Amino acid sequence: DAGVIQSPRHEVTEMGQEVTLRCKPISGHNSLFWYRQTMMRGLELLIYFNNNVPIDDSGMPEDRFSAKMPNASFSTLKIQPSEPRDSAVYFCASRRLAGGPYEQFFGPGTRLTVL
Amino acid sequence: QKEVEQDPGPLSVPEGAIVSLNCTYSNSAFQYFMWYRQYSRKGPELLMYTYSSGNKEDGRFTAQVDKSSKYISLFIRDSQPSDSATYLCAMSAEKTSYDKVIFGPGTSLSVIP
């Protein structure tokens, strides 16, 4: 069974460019999470969706960040324009709403570097 | 004060040692307590979880929760070099489908052969 799939795995871009990160959750999972991890701030929840609906985006740092989930098997996190301080590892995770919080599975992450 | 606090380490121990990793928290509504292990350049993966108070053992790993002190621990017996990773504690109230999992910053562990 495939786990959470994220693409790209690595992204290097220049300041001001648009960045789009992609996530495919585990089949049957109806809750999806976007996290950002840095040495300074640890693992931060940016936004999460239940049944494709955004529930809490209070962790999105600025209006430059946006996320969508057009269907149950795909989500995107977009940064426009990107800045060097956005450099981090971005994780997508998914779980079944009917399950417990311990059923949250993480993807391998996208390592973003903004020059 | 952060909701979940954890000593970031790094912690370095010789192979075979007993390792103790700890977290404190401030939200008394937390009911689920989880430990994730994260290898370098990988995503976190669930190691074990506990519901409410008490102990739980899984092989060389033991998780303890003391809700009266708002303190949780993970013990690793007979530590192995393959245990070298970052360990993140995580907690959730999970009273509604809107409750979030809150992660600690993680403790970096190195087990030296």
Side-chain angles (χ1 to χ4, degrees):
Chain A
D1 212 7
V4 176
I5 299 172
Q6 290 187 249
S7 65
R9 294 293 310 277
H10 303 271
E11 177 82 26
V12 180
T13 190
E14 293 190 345
M15 183 173 65
Q17 296 298 304
E18 177 179 298
V19 175
T20 300
L21 310 181
R22 296 172 176 80
C23 175
K24 177 179 171 56
I26 292 173
S27 177
H29 284 194
N30 51 0
S31 190
L32 182 140
F33 307 82
W34 282 101
Y35 289 89
R36 178 172 70 175
Q37 187 176 43
T38 61
M39 289 292 291
M40 290 296 294
R41 301 174 69 92
L43 194 62
E44 303 174 279
L45 178 64
L46 301 177
I47 184 171
Y48 75 97
F49 298 81
N50 286 348
N51 294 313
N52 312 340
V53 176
I55 300 300
D56 186 343
D57 66 354
S58 60
M60 297 285 259
E62 299 170 36
D63 291 344
R64 299 184 296 106
F65 286 69
S66 63
K68 293 182 180 179
M69 191 163 186
N71 57 60
S73 58
F74 184 66
S75 177
T76 59
L77 178 68
K78 186 176 294 186
I79 308 172
Q80 164 64 14
S82 58
E83 295 183 6
R85 60 192 166 127
D86 302 330
S87 297
V89 182
Y90 291 81
F91 289 103
C92 177
S94 70
R95 62 167 276 195
R96 293 182 309 118
L97 265 175
Y102 45 85
E103 291 189 4
Q104 189 172 151
F105 291 90
F106 284 79
T110 294
R111 186 170 295 271
L112 174 65
T113 302
V114 183
L115 303 174
Chain B
Q1 182 188 10
K2 292 184 178 179
E3 272 194 289
V4 179
E5 308 230 30
Q6 185 177 9
D7 186 341
L11 185 61
S12 185
V13 301
E15 183 176 352
I18 296 174
V19 177
S20 173
L21 305 169
N22 310 293
C23 287
T24 58
Y25 63 95
S26 57
N27 188 346
S28 58
F30 287 146
Q31 294 280 10
Y32 286 91
F33 303 91
M34 294 152 283
W35 286 96
Y36 282 79
R37 179 174 60 195
Q38 185 176 21
Y39 290 115
S40 180
R41 297 185 174 267
K42 301 286 188 184
E45 56 179 353
L46 181 72
L47 189 59
M48 56 194 307
Y49 76 94
T50 310
Y51 176 73
S52 194
S53 282
N55 295 358
K56 187 172 186 178
E57 189 173 316
D58 184 1
R60 297 184 294 110
F61 299 87
T62 300
Q64 287 186 352
V65 174
D66 182 350
K67 294 188 73 178
S68 62
S69 302
K70 296 189 177 69
Y71 187 89
I72 71 169
S73 300
L74 177 71
F75 297 97
I76 308 175
R77 291 185 300 279
D78 187 24
S79 56
Q80 302 295 308
S82 59
D83 296 328
S84 298
T86 296
Y87 290 80
L88 300 97
C89 61
M91 308 174 190
S92 175
E94 198 72 4
K95 289 184 177 177
T96 74
S97 60
Y98 303 101
D99 285 321
K100 297 178 281 193
V101 176
I102 309 298
F103 285 83
T107 299
S108 176
L109 170 68
S110 292
V111 180
I112 311 301

